[in-house]
């Protein structure tokens, strides 16, 4: 009986994510239009941080409870899922043109900070408070970069025009952002909690739960939000959302989790392998974009196959 209740809650969580993501993307797009902010910047900040809220809530809470498997596994698993599964699915829906700055700077930056995370975990077998400060410092640099990007007004040549109406006042749009965020976070928590119950019934380990069930649950906002953005023609939000979320997950979420944790967060050897997979995922993204800066169905198929192989690898451990 408890298992069936968990399945019902899982479906309810999915509904909350879908509804919240739709409200969130529309409101964010209209705010960008109202303030003449490049869609790329909106994707890298408001949408990325909003859809990363579940990762932040779960990882920080897990750090307080000394649950390193959830804290680390959730972030690494989410970042792998974001690239291989979310962008893979979005690329299968429609060809995605990657912004020049995303290809030249932001994707390489994700590669760099994931390598930094690997180095910190490998050297100390943990994430200490000092390591957390390094991550927060890098996040500050990223925010400065975004400020410069916004000041320069860089934007894609073929931005989808977001039609504003008289009733779309700033207070209303901000309320819609909060409503969408509420549904996203609430839906994610319902999804993750119920999925954990279902997974536990089959005797799955904490590390695998963190890397798969929890990571998938917290990546659902990125999947739904990016998929919705692609369907609506806002490719800049789809790409920027994923890249921004991965940066936010490593630098801000793990940075804050490391600072609030009573002790250093253990970084087991198994997670080193997973972090290498996360690095290879970024390399695959960069290579498949190519000089044309385009993710097509072939790119999407390669990403989805890569994730399937990784998933089988996890299940065999």
């Amino acid at each position: 009986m408890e298992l069936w209740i968990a399945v019902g809650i899982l479906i309810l969580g999915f509904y909350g994510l879908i509804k919240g993501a739709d409200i969130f993307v529309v409101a964010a797009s209209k705010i960008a239009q109202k303030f003449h902010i490049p869609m790329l910047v909106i994707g890298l900040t408001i949408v990325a941080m909003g859809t990363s809220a579940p990762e932040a809530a779960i990882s920080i809470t897990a750090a307080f409870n000394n649950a390193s498997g959830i804290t680390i596994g959730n972030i690494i698993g989410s970042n792998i899922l974001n690239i291989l599964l979310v962008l893979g699915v979005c690329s299968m829906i429609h060809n995605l043109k990657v912004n020049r700055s995303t290809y030249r700077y932001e994707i390489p930056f994700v590669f760099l900070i994931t390598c930094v995370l690997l180095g910190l975990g490998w050297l100390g077998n943990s994430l200490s408070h000092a390591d957390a400060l390094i991550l927060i410092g890098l996040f500050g640099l990223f925010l400065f970069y975004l400020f410069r990007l916004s000041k320069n007004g860089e934007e894609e040549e073929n931005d989808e025009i977001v039609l504003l109406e008289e009733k779309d006042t700033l207070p209303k749009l901000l309320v819609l952002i909060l409503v969408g965020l509420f549904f996203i976070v609430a839906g994610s928590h319902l999804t993750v909690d119920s999925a954990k119950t279902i997974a536990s019934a089959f005797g799955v380990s904490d590390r695998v739960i963190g890397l798969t069930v929890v990571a998938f649950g917290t990546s659902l906002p990125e999947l739904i939000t990016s998929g919705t953005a692609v369907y609506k023609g806002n490719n800049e939000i789809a790409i920027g959302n994923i890249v921004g979320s991965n940066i936010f997950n490593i630098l801000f979420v793990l940075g804050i989790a490391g600072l609030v944790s009573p002790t250093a967060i253990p970084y087991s050897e198994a997670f080193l392998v997973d972090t290498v997979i996360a690095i290879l995922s970024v390399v695959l993204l960069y290579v498949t974009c190519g000089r044309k800066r385009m993710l097509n169905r072939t790119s999407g198929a390669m990403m989805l196959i890569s994730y399937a192989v990784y998933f089988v690898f996890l299940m065999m451990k």
Side-chain angles (χ1 to χ4, degrees):
M1 184 65 180
E2 183 180 347
L3 188 60
W4 285 109
I5 293 175
V7 171
I9 294 175
L10 185 69
I11 295 172
L12 183 63
F14 281 138
Y15 174 78
L17 286 166
I18 294 170
K19 189 67 176 177
D22 185 60
I23 295 172
F24 203 94
V25 169
V26 171
S29 299
K30 289 185 176 182
I31 288 177
Q33 175 79 11
K34 184 177 286 287
F35 288 97
H36 306 288
I37 298 174
M39 297 294 273
L40 173 67
V41 176
I42 288 292
L44 284 166
T45 54
I46 298 174
V47 178
M49 292 181 183
T51 54
S52 287
E55 283 93 339
I58 291 173
S59 288
I60 292 172
T61 300
F64 268 117
N65 297 326
N66 293 319
S68 61
I70 298 296
T71 302
I72 304 293
N74 177 32
I75 296 305
I76 298 175
S78 291
N79 280 18
I80 293 172
L81 267 161
N82 283 347
I83 292 176
L84 298 183
L85 184 62
V86 178
L87 284 184
V89 169
C90 289
S91 300
M92 297 297 287
I93 296 174
H94 193 279
N95 288 351
L96 304 179
K97 184 168 177 57
V98 181
N99 187 280
R100 185 182 295 106
S101 68
T102 300
Y103 182 73
R104 289 184 176 179
Y105 305 114
E106 289 131 31
I107 295 176
F109 187 62
V110 176
F111 174 81
L112 173 64
I113 63 175
T114 311
C115 288
V116 169
L117 177 62
L118 176 65
L120 294 175
W122 179 66
L123 290 174
N125 294 320
S126 65
L127 287 180
S128 65
H129 291 163
D131 296 334
L133 287 175
I134 292 174
L135 298 178
I136 293 296
L138 289 171
F139 185 65
L141 290 177
F142 176 64
L143 291 180
F144 177 73
Y145 162 77
L146 288 181
F147 173 76
R148 292 293 299 272
L149 186 68
S150 181
K151 293 288 285 185
N152 292 338
E154 180 172 334
E155 195 163 5
E156 279 292 309
E157 294 84 356
N158 298 314
D159 280 346
E160 182 77 9
I161 300 299
V162 180
L163 298 179
L164 286 168
E165 302 176 14
E166 286 188 15
K167 62 181 181 180
D168 292 324
T169 61
L170 182 59
K172 178 183 177 181
L173 292 176
L174 290 175
V175 169
L176 287 174
I177 286 282
L178 294 176
V179 170
L181 183 59
F182 170 78
F183 276 108
I184 288 171
V185 174
S188 285
H189 279 295
L190 289 175
T191 301
V192 170
D193 290 343
S194 57
K196 284 177 65 177
T197 300
I198 295 170
S200 296
F202 294 95
V204 181
S205 69
D206 285 345
R207 171 176 167 263
V208 173
I209 288 177
L211 286 165
T212 55
V213 177
V214 178
F216 179 73
T218 55
S219 288
L220 276 174
E222 282 88 348
L223 176 60
I224 301 301
T225 302
S226 294
T228 303
V230 170
Y231 180 76
K232 293 178 181 291
N234 295 324
N235 289 356
E236 296 84 0
I237 281 187
I239 299 291
N241 174 36
I242 295 306
V243 174
S245 290
N246 281 19
I247 293 172
F248 187 78
N249 284 346
I250 292 177
L251 299 184
F252 183 78
V253 177
L254 276 184
I256 295 299
L259 287 178
V260 303
S261 178
T263 59
I265 302 173
Y267 207 104
S268 67
E269 264 187 50
F271 281 130
L272 295 178
V273 176
D274 298 314
T275 309
V276 170
I277 299 297
I279 292 172
L280 293 176
S281 299
V282 181
V283 172
L284 178 62
L285 171 61
Y286 190 82
V287 171
T288 54
C289 284
R291 293 183 179 180
K292 294 183 179 179
R293 294 185 285 111
M294 179 75 71
L295 291 177
N296 53 31
R297 285 187 173 85
T298 301
S299 306
M302 291 176 64
M303 291 176 179
L304 293 176
I305 291 171
S306 297
Y307 184 75
V309 171
Y310 173 64
F311 186 81
V312 171
F313 165 76
L314 281 179
M315 294 300 102
M316 292 175 62
K317 297 297 286 183

